[in-house]
Amino acid sequence: MSTAAIIVAAGSGSRMSKDLPKQFMKLGDRSVLAHSYARLKKYGAIGPVAVVIGAGQEALSRSALGDGAMLVTGGATRRESVRAGLEALAALGGVERVLIHDAARPLLPAAVIDRLLDALKHGTGAIPVLPVVDTLARVEGARISDGVERSGIVQVQTPQAFAFDAVLAVHRQWNGATEPTDDASMVRAGGHDVIAVEGDTMLGKITHAQDLERAERDLGISIPRVGTGYDVHRLVPGKPLWLCGVQVPHDRGLSGHSDADVAIHALVDALLGALAEGDIGSHFPPSDPQWKDAPSARFLEFARERVSARGGCIAHVDLTIICEAPKIGPHREAMRASLGHILGIGLDRVSIKATTTERLGFTGREEGIAANAVATILLREV
Ligand code: MG
C-alpha cells in the first residue's frame, strides 16, 4: 500500500525572528524543516513527501532540502495549504495513505509513525495525542474561574494519518464556513472515525525561542564512535608513490588496483568502521574495472559523504604510516592539508605520524608500506 506525506511549511511569521520563518531556523546542523523532512524521508514505508511552502520561499526551501524535494506552493490558510499538497499527491496517482505533518514539529520519532500506520489499518484516520498533565482552568480577565475537568482531554499533535481518498474528499467538499485547525477535525466532520494513538513529547511544536532550545537538547547528545583501519601495499618499481593524496618522490611506488594510496585506504576503512558500514573492498571491489588507477581521494570523499548522510561529523583522524623510506616528515604538512581538504575538516583534526619497524619484517625490508588509521566521528543517536 503506497504511503505519502505532506509537510506544511507555508508559515511566514515567527515569534522568534522577524526575518526568518521558524521552519527555516537552524536546529543543530540543519533547518527545522530539514529535520521534519529527513524523518519522513528516511522512514521506509513512506514514498513521496510533498513540502508545502509559502509564496517566495522556494530559494530558502531548496537550500534547506536540496534540489530533489517536491515543493508545492500553499494557500492563505493552513487548510488551503494542505489541500494544495493533497492535490499535488493526487496528481502523482497511486497514493493510498497520507501523513500530514507540521514542519514546526521537527523531531518526529519513527515509533509514532509506526503507531499511526498500524492504527490506520482499523480506521480512516489516526492522530498522535498526549495526556494533559497540568491542571486546566478558565480565566475571566485576570481572575481564575471554574476549573476544567481534565479527564478525557488530550493534546493533539501531528503527523496525522489518513486514508488518502477520504481526506482528499473532505478537503474538496469543505464549504469554508469555518476554518479548522487540523485535518482530523475535518475528517471527523466528514463522518469518519479518527483513532488516537500515543504521541511523543519529542513532537513538541516550536513556537518560542525556548522551544528551539528544548529541541536542541532533545536532538540528543552526539555519541562519539571510533573506527580503525589497516592496509598494506607492495612497493614496486616504475610506479608513482601516493600517500594521503600527495605524490611523494621515491624510487618506487605502491602497487594496487587504484592508485594504491595505502594511507587513504586505511583511513577510509576507519571511517566506514566508525559507521559500521563495511569496508573499502565492499564499496569499491578491486574486481570492478572502474576503480583501476582511480585516485583514492574519491574513496575518501565517499566515506565523508556517508558520515554526512548519517547526520554525523568527523571529529578527528589519526594516521600512522609504517615504512623505512621515504621519510614522511618533509611531506607531513602537505599530507595533513590534503586530508583536511578532502574531509572538509581543519588541520587541528588531522594527525599524521610515521614510524619504521627497525628494519624488521616486510616494512623493514622495504617490500611494502603499511598504514594504521583511527577515525573518531560524532553521530546523533535518534
Ligand atoms: Mg588498499
Side-chain angles (χ1 to χ4, degrees):
M1 187 185 274
S2 128
T3 304
I6 293 171
I7 299 177
V8 185
S12 58
S14 169
R15 289 175 210 183
M16 289 171 276
S17 158
K18 279 198 286 293
D19 306 320
L20 195 62
K22 62 188 174 186
Q23 64 271 30
F24 298 109
M25 296 184 89
K26 210 72 186 275
L27 169 60
D29 62 347
R30 59 186 87 175
S31 66
V32 168
L33 170 60
H35 282 282
S36 305
Y37 184 73
R39 300 292 177 107
L40 287 163
K41 270 306 238 194
K42 80 176 184 192
Y43 189 89
I46 295 175
V49 178
V51 182
V52 187
I53 60 172
Q57 293 179 341
E58 182 160 349
L60 267 174
S61 305
R62 288 265 171 245
S63 82
L65 304 178
D67 288 337
M70 176 181 178
L71 301 182
V72 179
T73 303
T77 63
R78 185 185 186 283
R79 178 180 58 80
E80 288 171 22
S81 292
V82 173
R83 168 86 187 266
L86 289 168
E87 296 293 353
L89 291 175
L92 293 180
V95 178
E96 292 170 85
R97 308 188 292 191
V98 65
L99 282 95
I100 302 174
H101 189 44
D102 290 332
R105 301 181 190 270
L107 304 184
L108 167 57
V112 173
I113 305 178
D114 292 341
R115 292 196 281 271
L116 288 167
L117 294 182
D118 204 40
L120 204 53
K121 292 174 189 158
H122 313 290
T124 305
I127 64 172
V129 304
L130 279 184
V132 175
V133 291
D134 295 324
T135 296
L136 299 176
R138 292 184 203 284
V139 286
E140 288 168 9
R143 279 178 202 282
I144 297 294
S145 68
D146 298 340
V148 176
E149 179 52 50
R150 200 170 52 186
S151 69
I153 302 280
V154 290
Q155 306 177 56
V156 172
Q157 301 180 317
T158 74
Q160 302 189 343
F162 303 100
F164 186 75
D165 290 345
V167 70
L168 180 64
V170 296
H171 267 270
R172 283 180 175 170
Q173 290 156 14
W174 195 256
N175 61 21
T178 55
E179 208 49 60
T181 57
D182 73 349
D183 300 284
S185 52
M186 293 177 68
V187 167
R188 278 198 63 251
H192 303 287
D193 267 351
V194 176
I195 297 168
V197 305
E198 187 187 347
D200 197 303
T201 53
M202 291 280 274
L203 269 172
K205 195 170 190 173
I206 290 178
T207 309
H208 303 284
Q210 58 266 38
D211 300 326
L212 206 53
E213 286 166 22
R214 185 208 63 230
E216 288 276 3
R217 289 193 298 275
D218 286 348
L219 196 51
I221 298 160
S222 292
I223 310 291
R225 295 173 62 146
V226 177
T228 69
Y230 176 71
D231 196 26
V232 172
H233 281 261
R234 185 185 293 273
L235 278 164
V236 293
K239 292 262 288 184
L241 175 60
W242 288 95
L243 290 170
C244 302
V246 173
Q247 194 176 343
V248 178
H250 195 49
D251 59 350
R252 288 175 297 160
L254 293 170
S255 87
H257 189 63
S258 64
D259 68 7
D261 190 325
V262 67
I264 285 187
H265 292 188
L267 188 49
V268 170
D269 266 358
L271 288 164
L272 292 173
L275 292 166
E277 290 195 16
D279 60 23
I280 189 170
S282 56
H283 294 280
F284 303 100
S287 55
D288 188 335
Q290 67 170 309
W291 310 123
K292 181 163 167 47
D293 298 324
S296 294
R298 286 180 52 188
F299 308 150
L300 194 53
E301 283 162 7
F302 169 82
R304 179 199 68 200
E305 281 158 18
R306 285 307 310 151
V307 174
S308 307
R310 294 270 298 272
C313 67
I314 299 167
H316 182 250
V317 296
D318 184 19
L319 258 169
T320 305
I321 300 170
I322 305 156
C323 59
E324 296 295 327
K327 289 219 171 306
I328 300 302
H331 307 286
R332 188 196 315 265
E333 291 314 306
M335 291 176 176
R336 291 177 71 208
S338 165
L339 293 183
H341 176 72
I342 299 167
L343 293 173
I345 58 177
L347 286 188
D348 62 327
R349 299 178 183 209
V350 181
S351 161
I352 296 176
K353 312 191 298 300
T355 187
T356 71
T357 50
E358 301 281 336
R359 301 234 150 252
L360 296 168
F362 69 87
T363 50
R365 294 187 298 270
E366 299 189 39
E367 294 166 6
I369 295 179
N372 249 321
V374 176
T376 306
I377 66 172
L378 296 172
L379 282 190
R380 289 191 191 273
E381 301 288 323
V382 291

